Amino acid sequence: MTTESAAATVRAPHPAPRIALVGDRSPSVRSHQRIPILLEALRERHGLLADAYWIPTEEAARPGAVAAFDAVWLLPGSPYRSEAGALAAVRTARENGIPFLGTCGGFQHALLEFARTVCGLGDARHAENSPEGDGDLLIAPLACSLVGHEGTIHTTPGSLAERLLGSRETQERFHCDYGPVAELLPLLQEHGMRFTGMDAEGRPNIAELPDHPFFLATLFQPELAGDGTVPHLYIRGLAEAAASHAVSRIGKESPV
C-alpha cells in the first residue's frame, strides 16, 4: 500500500450506522410519519448520520433479521402483524448488546420478551394480542386510556433515562391503551430489569437494562415530542449509541 493510499484509508469516514426500524409501516401512524423528519434533524442538528431500514414484523421473525444492525428501534403501531417478529427483534438486541429503543408498543413487547425469555414466564401474554388465555397477563388494558394524553414522568437518579435527559422530570406524550400489570413487575426486577421512569401515580413508564450498552423502553412516544425538528434526547441517545456500535463493529471486521 502506498503512503497516499494508506492516508486515504485513515481519512475514510466510517459508514453511517445501520438502524432497524421494526414495525408495520403505516401512513396513519403519526410516529411513523415522524421518522424521516427525525432522521433529517439528527443529521442537520447533531451530525448523526444513520442508514435506517424499515423491517416489517413478519421479516423480523426470520433468524438473524436484525443481527447485523447497529441499533434496533421497535416502533409503535401495535397490534403488530407478527408478535413473534417483534419479540425476536427485542431478543436479538438484548442478547447481542445491540442498542435498543422500544416506544409505546415497543415498551410493552420489551417487557413481554423479558418475562418470557429471562423470567421463565413462557406463557406471559399481551391482552391486545391474546385477550383470553391461561397464561400470566403481563400487558393489560389501562383503566384510563392514554391516547392523546400528555403527562409528567419522574426519572430515577443515576439511571440511563435520567442521564440522557439531564433532568429528573420530563413532560411526554402518550398514545396507548395498554400497560404493564403491576403484580408481575417485581419478578422482572428480580431478573435485572429496572423501572426508571414513573408517572404521578407511580406507574412505570420507562424500563432499562443496566448491564446492556443501551437498552431503553418507554410507554410514551418520544418521537412525538415537539414538531420533530429537535429530536428527543432518547432518540439522540439511540443514534449516538448506534454510531459507537458501528465503530466497534467495523473495528472487529477490519483486518489487523
Side-chain angles (χ1 to χ4, degrees):
M1 180 182 293
T2 67
T3 302
E4 288 184 0
S5 60
T9 300
V10 171
R11 288 194 301 267
H14 288 297
R18 303 174 72 243
I19 299 180
L21 304 172
V22 179
D24 305 312
R25 191 175 188 179
S26 170
S28 65
V29 178
R30 285 186 62 205
S31 63
H32 296 183
Q33 297 172 17
R34 280 289 178 90
I35 296 301
I37 300 171
L38 291 167
L39 293 173
E40 180 65 16
L42 287 168
R43 184 181 69 83
E44 290 289 336
R45 296 182 66 91
H46 307 296
L48 292 168
L49 304 178
D51 285 335
Y53 298 82
W54 281 92
I55 310 294
T57 54
E58 297 101 330
E59 291 186 19
R62 299 174 183 172
V66 300
F69 285 87
D70 297 304
V72 174
W73 184 354
L74 183 54
L75 288 156
S78 61
Y80 301 119
R81 291 199 293 264
S82 172
E83 179 189 86
L87 298 180
V90 177
R91 183 172 185 174
T92 298
R94 181 179 58 78
E95 293 184 340
N96 292 279
I98 300 171
F100 173 83
L101 178 64
T103 56
C104 195
F107 168 93
Q108 299 159 16
H109 286 75
L111 270 60
L112 189 63
E113 188 279 328
F114 194 80
R116 289 183 181 180
T117 310
V118 179
C119 302
L121 296 179
D123 58 357
R125 59 190 177 89
H126 189 313
E128 189 175 36
N129 305 329
S130 304
E132 297 181 2
D134 297 327
D136 295 290
L137 182 61
L138 177 65
I139 307 297
L142 295 167
C144 296
S145 171
L146 293 177
V147 173
H149 176 73
E150 192 168 303
T152 301
I153 306 299
H154 302 275
T155 60
T156 301
S159 64
L160 175 62
E162 190 255 356
R163 293 198 307 272
L164 289 173
L165 286 176
S167 170
R168 289 288 313 281
E169 190 175 290
T170 178
Q171 195 78 6
E172 302 293 348
R173 294 184 183 181
F174 293 80
H175 197 82
C176 61
D177 288 314
Y178 294 84
V181 174
E183 289 75 14
L184 292 179
L185 299 186
L187 180 62
L188 276 66
Q189 292 174 303
E190 289 173 12
H191 285 80
M193 180 168 279
R194 293 184 68 199
F195 295 100
T196 58
M198 305 290 180
D199 64 16
E201 286 72 39
R203 294 172 297 209
N205 285 264
I206 303 176
E208 59 186 78
L209 296 177
D211 294 332
H212 191 281
F214 186 102
F215 191 102
L216 192 68
T218 68
L219 187 59
F220 54 85
Q221 296 189 8
E223 59 273 14
L224 296 183
D227 61 2
T229 59
V230 180
H232 192 287
L233 289 166
Y234 290 171
I235 295 172
R236 179 179 173 182
L238 178 72
E240 291 174 342
S244 296
H245 187 276
V247 170
S248 176
R249 171 178 57 80
I250 293 167
K252 294 175 182 178
E253 294 173 352
S254 300
V256 178

